[in-house]
Amino acid sequence: MIRRLLAVTAATALAATLTPTATAATPPPVVIVAGTFGPAFFYEPLAARLRADGRQVAIFQLTQLGRADIRTSARDLNTFADAFRSRTGAAKVDMVTHSQGGLVARRYIKNEGGATEVGSLVNLGTPNYGTAIANLSSFFTDGICGVSCSQMEVGSAFLNDLNAGDDTVGAVRYTNLYTLQDELVRPVGNAAMNDGATNVLIQSQCPFRVVGHIALATDGTVYDGVRDALNLQAVHLNCFAI
């Protein structure tokens, strides 16, 4: 009887060592979606911040560095995200995007099955309703930006289709962070979305914070907002974050 009791006790102890005891849910992994001409390594500092906050991170570099059709990049993002979810065992990922990357992510969510695969989408300086810079067609006559530039024009067929109906497709939580000093998204209000998205102009909370388009991916105050959004909290910026 004693030997049997000891055996049961030992088996119970062994099972306890093999069974996870953590009760806190593991936060979803994050896919960083790069912007136009943004190589993956540029987003490593952002990835490091996310990893320090306990996230698994993968960086998706846009197809042809963002010169490809945004619809093509969205299909490639779908493949990338599916592989990352499989590798991490996560049912959903969160996404943090920069510039054109937000349009790619939105296309993936709307047209490539991402509505059930993404929990939160945080866009940094995304021209959700286009940018007048892209409308200056003479600026792009050498084709340096590829087909995606014409798709980012205000009133383009691509954006009209993307923005048709509900901006906030599915149960995804949408957040847009943008800046008055954005030199590439003009007017800057075109970085906002309708239909219940959270839209935060950096200078509405931090009037003296100077952040350009590229710096949205590296700025500490912006990341403070990213962290809040990913943690499903109201965005309250730390204006002095490094």
Side-chain angles (χ1 to χ4, degrees):
M1 179 67 178
I2 293 175
R3 280 200 298 267
R4 182 180 300 174
L5 180 60
L6 291 174
V8 170
T9 302
T12 302
L14 178 60
T17 65
L18 298 176
T19 303
T21 58
T23 57
T26 302
V30 177
V31 175
I32 296 172
V33 187
T36 311
F37 300 137
F41 68 78
F42 174 76
Y43 296 93
E44 280 298 339
L46 174 57
R49 292 183 191 264
L50 289 162
R51 292 185 185 110
D53 282 339
R55 303 279 181 151
Q56 297 182 77
V57 183
I59 302 171
F60 176 73
Q61 181 176 288
L62 295 186
T63 307
Q64 297 177 24
L65 280 177
R67 297 185 74 253
D69 189 311
I70 294 174
R71 294 167 294 191
T72 299
S73 292
R75 289 192 291 270
D76 292 342
L77 175 59
N78 179 29
T79 301
F80 182 91
D82 283 351
F84 187 46
R85 288 191 303 109
S86 176
R87 190 163 70 249
T88 59
K92 291 186 177 183
V93 295
D94 290 339
M95 291 193 167
V96 179
T97 80
H98 186 213
S99 193
Q100 184 195 146
L103 299 179
V104 173
R106 288 185 61 201
R107 172 76 188 189
Y108 155 59
I109 290 170
K110 184 172 184 177
N111 299 94
E112 302 295 338
T116 60
E117 300 171 355
V118 177
S120 292
L121 174 65
V122 184
N123 296 323
L124 310 178
T126 291
N128 288 301
Y129 277 80
T131 172
I133 301 300
N135 289 80
L136 301 176
S137 57
S138 61
F139 187 76
F140 301 110
T141 51
D142 59 359
I144 189 172
C145 193
V147 65
S148 64
C149 278
S150 63
Q151 292 175 318
M152 289 187 283
E153 292 178 1
V154 176
S156 72
F158 172 81
L159 287 177
N160 287 342
D161 178 68
L162 183 66
N163 294 319
D166 190 351
D167 277 5
T168 53
V169 175
V172 180
R173 180 183 171 102
Y174 294 82
T175 303
N176 298 283
L177 300 171
Y178 55 107
T179 175
L180 279 177
Q181 290 92 27
D182 197 315
E183 63 277 20
L184 294 181
V185 179
R186 289 286 166 175
V188 296
N190 279 11
M193 290 169 60
N194 299 317
D195 304 312
T198 297
N199 299 303
V200 180
L201 177 67
I202 302 303
Q203 290 74 24
S204 68
Q205 296 187 28
C206 303
F208 302 108
R209 190 77 179 196
V210 177
V211 186
H213 183 80
I214 302 301
L216 283 164
T218 58
D219 183 81
T221 290
V222 175
Y223 182 73
D224 189 66
V226 170
R227 180 192 290 117
D228 284 346
L230 291 179
N231 288 337
L232 308 182
Q233 300 171 347
V235 175
H236 297 298
L237 301 176
N238 176 357
C239 300
F240 303 100
I242 299 174

